[in-house]
Amino acid sequence: MPSAYKRILLKLSGEALMGDDKYGINRNVVEHIVVEIAEACQFGVEVAIVVGGGNIFRGMKSAGDGMDRVTADYMGMLATIMNALALQDAMRRKGLISRVQSALRIDQVVEPYIRNKAIRYLEEGKVVIFAAGTGNPFFTTDTAAALRGMEINADVVLKATKVDGIYSSDPKINSNATRYHHLSFDEAIIENLQVMDATALTLCRDQKLPINVFSIFKSGALMRILMGEDEGTLVSNG
């Protein structure tokens, strides 16, 4: 059975890389995520990733309190590059070929972001990891995921979280909370469901780029989405 999507943009939050740790990178979690991505690649799906940096920046929170917002945002971008390199290393050990492209120029460490080169890598079967967000302060990695997803002509943005979808209320507090199977962009924005930030949601809505929110910790969840099964919460125009 063919995949429901040919090319995906996977949005990984920095917090997803922590596992149960307070901050930093949990090696076992990263290896689990790479296994899920490897299965998608073996299935013939082209995979691009935008990674956040909250897990690393969280460890510097006390030092960053009261810091100028622009400076803090640039530090956060550097944290995403660290996460991207950790992912790339884990992929190398798994036998996956990947390339890291950064919106900030650090040529000795990672490539600069070049759209056509990123698309060529994807067509060659390589995983492309986008780091440093959009390269601009005040824009989140959610917005970077929406932007890069549109630029590479992705079929969907998959937001990987610790929760297996969007719920009517916090499932950790309310055991009767129900998972939404499908939402429109307008519903997500009006009800402030915090799927992604408003800028990212609006970009995806206007460009008709669907978003699926799912748990990366649920084994096989990524493959079930690719097979078109009911997994997570789909946010779209329809």
Side-chain angles (χ1 to χ4, degrees), residues 1-224:
M1 181 178 176
S3 168
Y5 305 110
K6 180 179 183 293
R7 179 178 295 165
I8 64 172
L9 190 292
L10 181 66
K11 168 58 172 67
L12 274 175
S13 68
E15 287 77 4
L17 303 180
M18 295 189 306
D20 294 326
D21 297 343
K22 292 183 178 179
Y23 55 83
I25 299 170
N26 185 302
R27 179 174 177 175
N28 291 332
V29 168
V30 172
E31 289 178 349
H32 164 77
I33 291 172
V34 169
V35 167
E36 298 287 307
I37 293 169
E39 289 181 357
C41 293
Q42 291 165 4
F43 198 55
V45 176
E46 297 172 3
V47 181
I49 302 169
V50 166
V51 62
N55 57 317
I56 294 175
F57 199 65
R58 181 179 294 186
M60 302 183 289
K61 186 179 185 303
S62 59
D65 284 344
M67 183 181 294
D68 173 73
R69 169 64 188 274
V70 174
T71 300
D73 280 359
Y74 278 120
M75 290 175 66
M77 292 178 212
L78 295 175
T80 71
I81 296 172
M82 296 170 67
N83 282 337
L85 291 172
L87 272 174
Q88 183 181 46
D89 181 72
M91 288 180 184
R92 177 187 57 78
R93 286 186 272 107
K94 183 65 179 174
L96 281 178
I97 300 174
S98 62
R99 295 289 184 269
V100 177
Q101 290 196 341
S102 169
L104 294 179
R105 295 292 296 260
I106 311 181
D107 294 354
Q108 294 92 333
V109 181
V110 293
E111 298 180 17
Y113 169 66
I114 300 174
R115 175 181 178 265
N116 288 340
K117 185 178 284 190
I119 291 173
R120 187 174 77 244
Y121 285 151
L122 291 169
E123 291 171 344
E124 293 171 350
K126 298 180 176 71
V127 177
V128 181
I129 307 170
F130 297 119
T134 66
N136 306 103
F138 302 107
F139 289 91
T140 68
T141 51
D142 278 351
T143 299
L147 182 62
R148 296 288 182 255
M150 289 182 286
E151 288 176 323
I152 65 170
N153 302 315
D155 298 316
V156 65
V157 172
L158 303 180
K159 182 167 182 180
T161 68
K162 293 183 176 181
V163 183
D164 64 340
I166 304 169
Y167 281 77
S168 55
S169 59
D170 190 341
K172 294 180 180 178
I173 299 174
N174 180 10
S175 60
N176 294 319
T178 56
R179 175 173 65 89
Y180 294 109
H181 296 270
H182 180 264
L183 287 168
S184 70
F185 281 110
D186 289 338
E187 287 172 330
I189 293 170
I190 292 170
E191 296 182 30
N192 192 28
L193 293 174
Q194 298 180 348
V195 179
M196 284 182 159
D197 67 62
T199 302
L201 281 174
T202 302
L203 281 170
C204 289
R205 181 192 65 186
D206 293 348
Q207 298 301 317
K208 299 179 174 59
L209 178 61
I211 300 168
N212 194 308
V213 181
F214 75 107
S215 172
I216 194 65
F217 297 102
K218 194 174 176 182
S219 294
L222 177 57
M223 281 301 300
R224 284 192 289 276

